[in-house]
Amino acid sequence: MSSSSPVSAVGSEPTECRESVPKDVIHTNEHVLEIVSDSGEGAQKCGQIFAAVSAKMSYGVWTVEIIPAEIEPPARTPASASGNLIRFGRDRITNWGDEVKLVVAFNEQVLLSQHRLDALADDCIVLIESKWSTHSDEEICQQWKAAMEEIGESGYRIIPVPMEEECLRRVDDPRRGKNMFALGLLAQIYGLDLEKIREQIRAQFAKKAPEVSKSNCDLLELGVEWAEGNLDFRIEIPRIEVDEPRVVMNGNQAAALGAVASGMEFCAMYPITPATSVSHYLCEMFENYGGKVHQSEDEIAAAGVAIGASYAGKVALTVTSGPGLALKTEFIGLAIMTEIPLVVLDVQRGGPSTGLPTKVEQSDLLAALFGQPGDAPRVVMAPATIEECFHAMITARRIAKMFRCVVIVLSDANLGTGQQQFRRPALDERWHAAPPNHRAVGSDERPYDWDPETGLSQRIVPGQPGGMHTITGLNHDQDSQVDYGPEANQLGCNMRSRKLALLHETMSPPPIHGDDSGRLLVVGWGSTKGAIEEAVDRARADGHPVSSTHITFLSPLQPGLRDIFERFDHVMTVEINYSDDLDAPHITPENRRLGQLAFLLRAQTLVDVDCWTRVPGQPLRPGQIHDAIHTKLSSISEMETTPA
Amino acid sequence: MSSSSPVSAVGSEPTECRESVPKDVIHTNEHVLEIVSDSGEGAQKCGQIFAAVSAKMSYGVWTVEIIPAEIEPPARTPASASGNLIRFGRDRITNWGDEVKLVVAFNEQVLLSQHRLDALADDCIVLIESKWSTHSDEEICQQWKAAMEEIGESGYRIIPVPMEEECLRRVDDPRRGKNMFALGLLAQIYGLDLEKIREQIRAQFAKKAPEVSKSNCDLLELGVEWAEGNLDFRIEIPRIEVDEPRVVMNGNQAAALGAVASGMEFCAMYPITPATSVSHYLCEMFENYGGKVHQSEDEIAAAGVAIGASYAGKVALTVTSGPGLALKTEFIGLAIMTEIPLVVLDVQRGGPSTGLPTKVEQSDLLAALFGQPGDAPRVVMAPATIEECFHAMITARRIAKMFRCVVIVLSDANLGTGQQQFRRPALDERWHAAPPNHRAVGSDERPYDWDPETGLSQRIVPGQPGGMHTITGLNHDQDSQVDYGPEANQLGCNMRSRKLALLHETMSPPPIHGDDSGRLLVVGWGSTKGAIEEAVDRARADGHPVSSTHITFLSPLQPGLRDIFERFDHVMTVEINYSDDLDAPHITPENRRLGQLAFLLRAQTLVDVDCWTRVPGQPLRPGQIHDAIHTKLSSISEMETTPA
Amino acid sequence: MSDQLRSFFGCGLDDERTFDLDDYGDVVPRWCSGCGDHGVLNSVKRLMRDEQLLPERTVFVSGIGCSSRFPHYLNTYGFHGIHGRALPVATGIKLSRPDLHVFVVMGDGDCCSIGAGHWLHATRYNIDMTVLMLDNAIYGLTKNQTSPTTPMGYATNTQPKGSFLPALNPITTTLGVTNVSFVAQTADWVPAHLLATIRAAYRHSGFSFVRILQRCPKFTAPLFAEQARTPDLHEMLIHPNGVTVPGLDKIYKRSLEHDPADIDRARALSEESERVRLGVFYRNESQPRYDDIRHLPTHTAAQNIERLNVELDRYAV
Amino acid sequence: MSDQLRSFFGCGLDDERTFDLDDYGDVVPRWCSGCGDHGVLNSVKRLMRDEQLLPERTVFVSGIGCSSRFPHYLNTYGFHGIHGRALPVATGIKLSRPDLHVFVVMGDGDCCSIGAGHWLHATRYNIDMTVLMLDNAIYGLTKNQTSPTTPMGYATNTQPKGSFLPALNPITTTLGVTNVSFVAQTADWVPAHLLATIRAAYRHSGFSFVRILQRCPKFTAPLFAEQARTPDLHEMLIHPNGVTVPGLDKIYKRSLEHDPADIDRARALSEESERVRLGVFYRNESQPRYDDIRHLPTHTAAQNIERLNVELDRYAV
Ligand SMILES: Cc1ncc(C[n+]2csc(CCOP(=O)(O)OP(=O)(O)O)c2C)c(N)n1
Ligand SMILES: Cc1ncc(C[n+]2csc(CCOP(=O)(O)OP(=O)(O)O)c2C)c(N)n1
Ligand code: SF4
Ligand code: SF4
Ligand SMILES: [Mg+2]
Ligand SMILES: [Mg+2]
């Protein structure tokens, strides 16, 4: 539905009528909606409850936080937009999708912000607080008008909703309850389970006075009623009941819980967006499991404290993002050299430097692989889903311990703050830390008793009688004695590197999404998995022989890649990091700077891996990737048909 | 000459005789000698004077410092060995060669240390202080005996020299003058110009009382006389007079002088081996040129102070080695993001971590290229000779300034402490810094006025009226305003990367040493150039179609490499860093970790570049490389003849 | 004074320009309403107007944090760098360009936590710069984590049961550093005192460290609310060599004579007391200044080339 | 005390073992002859012998420098880490293993220059460990560069015309940090005092910081030579709560009563004086200890799994 004035009829009618109006039912398998307010007006909470409840109702869900880059940007400005995008539907949802189909906006400026990001569908339904259009402040009315003009070109169906006016019927300060009213609107539109919502509200406000829950539930009701009485549509999405137990959370929560489940007992950190919330979750609960979070004076100290804890017998965790990873560079080198187990969780954000602190990017890969001066073999792995954020921590700890090595886990802002549901993990005691080992060390045992075949050796930790030795970041021999000799240095390097080869042997090639061979293989890593697979599915539905594969272990790189690549005519990575576009000025195939995974794959497989990468500070959309696949396919055809 | 007892006849004769004994003349085009003493006994000074004088005599020279890893290791132990290796000869000398042909040792333990390094030729002539063999301390006699037994297997010609006994004829404390006596021995053996030596001695002791020079010259004379009267050989090496003006120095001196010549005016540093001496040289003289060296509280601050100075209008330098480079990681990212020119000189040592502080390695390459989280394009270059250490600083400053970028210069311990002579540089005023720019900034000018074609823009520095703006490590637009939007981030990344493509356009392919095509191309970078080319020359002399090329610019990578590589059947890098050996357990072509340049070249050219690398903490020898070439060639032939 | 020199010292030549408040910046800052940073910004602009600083000769250096956004809101040169590292950058700027007025703005996390090493050393270098530490006792920008100055027991996102340790006292710490030359404390809610203190700091020749107690209504409202309302919770340090604000004694009645030359007493007074003490704790202009010591005459390229050729002679063969 | 507890606290169970000096290490250290580090090593071994520390329950943590080679010469656990970062490592060790005796050995460059931020914060954390700062007023291992404690005017390789700034006073600096709990100064050339001071530090519950004036005949011989020869150039701080070495007053005749509870006087006394003051400047066992505050009971895996399942319920759909 589209009209020349973006403000459509329904909402402008008087709203006294409390009876139901007849509804068009929109049938669809999924929908993308956004709820967006000024920072501090609670759209985030509204979105979170919506997502949780739809997950509980067995819908597939994926949410993306809309966070302003400033602490308190001026109200009623595009910069102030805060809230949630929610994509939900019948099937499993793995990414934020392409277009927003419905928006609830608390003012026209935050609507503008979302409009300008070019993410609203042409026929997007917009429910917007109506009070601004007739505000007593002339400037505000002007702003409203200007905004409506700007978005006038689009075909949105704009439905003004007297949110505050309605809320005032129950509360004195409508600014504080509007979000629940909005939730009511949405509940009615999508037919959400009201009792489940009330439960969720009560849980949220459990620590506050009971009246708080009560008044929030009242406002919810009001929203439902208003929608019932005024909207001429509702949206119906089929559900498939799942009965396996499931949980819903974001990737940072999953990583924090994974750390606990893995048996880690120590985390040292320094706050940094978007990794800090991992620590917040841990700070709340880690002590209940005998675990400690230590906030250090800086990231260097955080790495050092974690290494000290690991040295003393733990497998410690340090959590950070780009700039913090940079500061840990030297200490990570020490851990590698001394073979002290350490897990580093890097929740990637936009870079370089301070970059885009709240936004997603996948551009710490090469720094994670090669950041340390000297030869410093380490394990690098990247979870691709929220569920994998949980399990990655368990795997990381196990590898760090068994291989006496550093494991860097690369998550990102999209995984860290996005919510998704997944199978409830079955916890396992075997993941847990063994109590500190106090057995006496035999006189034939040595601190680096490297098995010459594998490079593996057993850790001796303080407290073990007879095991006294001094570890050092200088080159050392099996007894941990400083040794500058040529053989000793070569041996140490061999042993530290050999462990990766051994780990490599235990790995399998990544599974292929789609056929095992074809014209184009798309390769990804990390949080882009869902979007890539969705794009590939669409391309395949278009009839193109396209498949994808997703790499979990970047160091050592999973096996079998060359074989896989050779079964496809072309290979292209899709990544959220920077690469030169070949058609940009001065860029040639020779000097082109490549996507980070593409660079790695080329060196390792010698296959001519192309890349399509972008750095928008946003997750990639399946539609974008789908387009990129099309472009790639046509350029291949062109090349093939053009006589050389 | 070899005898069953390593102690040959000559030296054991009584030494009263002051007349000349008849001499066998050994004719050779070059020789490698070592002078080695306990730390603190002055062998270093002796070696330095020898090298300087032979350079002045138009010999080609290359020296390598023998430095103990401890400040004051126990005397008369292998760990105490301190001194110089000198390779000199008729032609230009570019590396330390293969085998030591003559050693002057102040005791048998330091001789043992050199023997154990497996670097002495089978027929090496050894002049050794004789007093230990008959020392009153029984333990010492035993040690002497044990040592002689250990080296007995070799065919050295050992000539005991009563060094202290002789010195006592002129001085009271022979331990302090022995080095000049030894210098006299050598002067006589090699026919060095005594007047030039005396000049050098006088210059060395210019600040001391004149008697000091005098007594040193006396001891020199004594050494000459003793050799004249007792040795039955001398070594004659032809000379080719060069008349271009030349200088002799080590790479750290060259870099320091280069920094001054380049017009840099600011260096911030924190001490670290083996880079510190660059700063020592600068500290001595920089102020004479209006330049400042600032020793910071740590490497992070050093980077920050340098960036501050650059921001304010200079092009500043910071000097470091591996662990320090690690600490500068975050600040380098900021300089890249804000496009503040900065030159980072990394004098590489053995790694990872504290590693081998005094020893050479080339393993900071990947960290220099990829150390920063986020996409952080920077220039990386590597001088290959002492002369290039000088000129690299001038090039680095020019690039940093013109491209508003970070330039990392990778030297290493071999270049830094090795001495070589080279053409005296003709200094050029144009290299020099322009006085600070105080012109007013037009209202149409912007702090990041990127030329969209090239990414270049003009720097506006504090003091320029009308140019006020705030630079930031957050993503920013042309006005340096913070901008988190998708386009702004993509644009910034484009512009910073584009500059490298432009620089790339100005570059030429590296020259080829040997034929333009053939069976094997050896590729190197940095300090290994001389040894590689010498090895290639030998292989060519053996009749093998082998060439080499040496890469100066690692980022952007010099052009034309793929074309060059394709003209050879096989390509192999030779590097002093770690790679897995293919015949080691668990190592496969798929999981093999490669030499750092090899990795880079494969990704960039897709050519199957092999590598031969070692991490002995020593420079590579031409002989070793020659062997590696042979091995590679035979394995190629084998592969080709074995049916698949 | 020669033209060159005048221009060197930042007083424009043909400069008949005069600057009013807006010339020093007219952007609306992106801090929360009620945030103490607004007041500091105003005072700083006022100072610049009063002193008629040339905007192009003035540089504000900061780290990362809410407070470190400061330079963006001024029409001077600004360097919004990385977290904790403002002081090294400022050091490089001042050492290479003594003609610039250098101001540094840091948060409590920025300065006292990640930047602690630089803070200590910058104090010791005693380079001529004005340092404003905006202390809201919390990590603001990253949303509510404990900082070194968070009071013991105050709950945050990283120490939800209350901060574990007594708050670090930045005044005492600075006073412990050899070669310290100016240390003062003021509060965003006493604007007249704030301005007077910043002015004294600016006029001090050397490293002047000002801790500004700063309200953060977002995360530490309870810490400063009562304080800001109640003049009697303050104790003003007064002295002819400190800061004196005419008329302020009418409101802030509790005061203490303190001679800022007396470091022992300064240290004792800096310790926790019932009332918050505002004023100059210490001031000593006779401490050696590193930027002074390292000052060099300028050289021409030709002179340098000549000398360098002599230097090369030493290496000639 | 249960067996488990006894073993936890590092007193062996069936431990009839006794340890003599050699059991704590018998390697010949690789320091220059005459280096003050030798004497410190001897005193430390003596302390361990006197206290009969279990070698396997004792950890020495260091950075990089001549002094940081310390752990290699002892037969305990040792962590020879990276330059300037000994304190964070020690913090991690002690927080996760309260049963270990943790010693930290640092140089003046290690602690006061690159490690300054950690030094300040470790002082504030006040975790139970014994910290020996071997102050030779120079960078030894890297061969003669100025350190923060190099006296003004003393020439080095990086400041060949003499160090630019007055030496940092590490005692005063430490005393400026909130929650400081033990600060003492001693010298390698007064072995009895050295041992007594280290013992007091070891026995102090909390972070005990000992600055040890250390001779470096290689690079700073002139700085300490006269001092070491001349007892009258010292002034001993004495007090029942400080250290007292019977008989030492016969040689070191100049002394001063100082109650280490008095922080104001401690600060005043720590300032440069004609004579070098040795003794305990400050001691306060009632300061909160971070390791104490953060102490936790142990948990079994089964308990944890149970709780975590409850936690997961919160996220269940
Ligand atoms: C290296 C690094 N570590 C951490 C961060 C994240 N970070 C940004 S601001 C900040 C602390 C802010 O607190 P404060 O310095 O007190 O300033 P405020 O926001 O309170 O003004 C932190 C931890 C970062 N940007 N860089
Ligand atoms: C990150 C890093 N920076 C610099 C160095 C080089 N370095 C080693 S020891 C040292 C200083 C030694 O001085 P100090 O700490 O006083 O110890 P001392 O040798 O005097 O005992 C330095 C700068 C290093 N190893 N690592
Ligand atoms: S969070 Fe606090 S410090 Fe930051 S802008 Fe808001 S009130 Fe100010
Ligand atoms: S250089 Fe100095 S500190 Fe280092 S071992 Fe020698 S005397 Fe001791
Ligand atoms: Mg703060
Ligand atoms: Mg020292």
Side-chain angles (χ1 to χ4, degrees), chain C residues 91-237:
Chain C
T91 298
I93 294 172
K94 189 71 186 176
L95 281 181
S96 64
R97 288 289 299 282
D99 60 312
L100 300 174
H101 308 292
V102 178
F103 290 81
V104 179
V105 182
M106 297 178 288
D108 45 322
D110 216 35
C111 173
C112 308
S113 191
I114 189 169
H118 310 306
W119 169 33
L120 191 159
H121 283 279
T123 303
R124 175 170 176 253
Y125 291 137
N126 191 28
I127 293 174
D128 193 19
M129 54 178 78
T130 308
V131 178
L132 311 178
M133 199 271 274
L134 304 194
D135 191 351
N136 57 2
I138 200 78
Y139 286 9
L141 189 67
T142 44
K143 304 191 177 171
N144 201 29
Q145 296 87 22
T146 295
S147 104
T149 62
T150 307
M152 182 142 90
Y154 188 79
T156 70
N157 278 336
T158 45
Q159 303 189 357
K161 292 184 190 153
S163 287
F164 298 120
L165 289 173
L168 184 80
N169 183 328
I171 299 290
T172 322
T173 303
T174 314
L175 287 170
V177 180
T178 312
N179 216 32
V180 56
S181 82
F182 183 103
V183 181
Q185 178 157 282
T186 182
D188 80 66
W189 55 84
V190 197
H193 191 267
L194 175 62
L195 177 58
T197 309
I198 297 179
R199 179 177 300 120
Y202 165 74
R203 292 192 175 162
H204 173 76
S205 153
F207 185 85
S208 32
F209 180 80
V210 184
R211 179 196 193 195
I212 303 175
L213 303 172
Q214 175 235 318
R215 283 168 296 179
C216 170
K218 194 90 181 174
F219 299 121
T220 50
L223 294 181
F224 299 109
E226 211 202 326
Q227 191 76 36
R229 266 196 311 269
T230 322
D232 270 8
L233 291 176
H234 302 73
E235 185 167 60
M236 308 313 250
L237 301 183

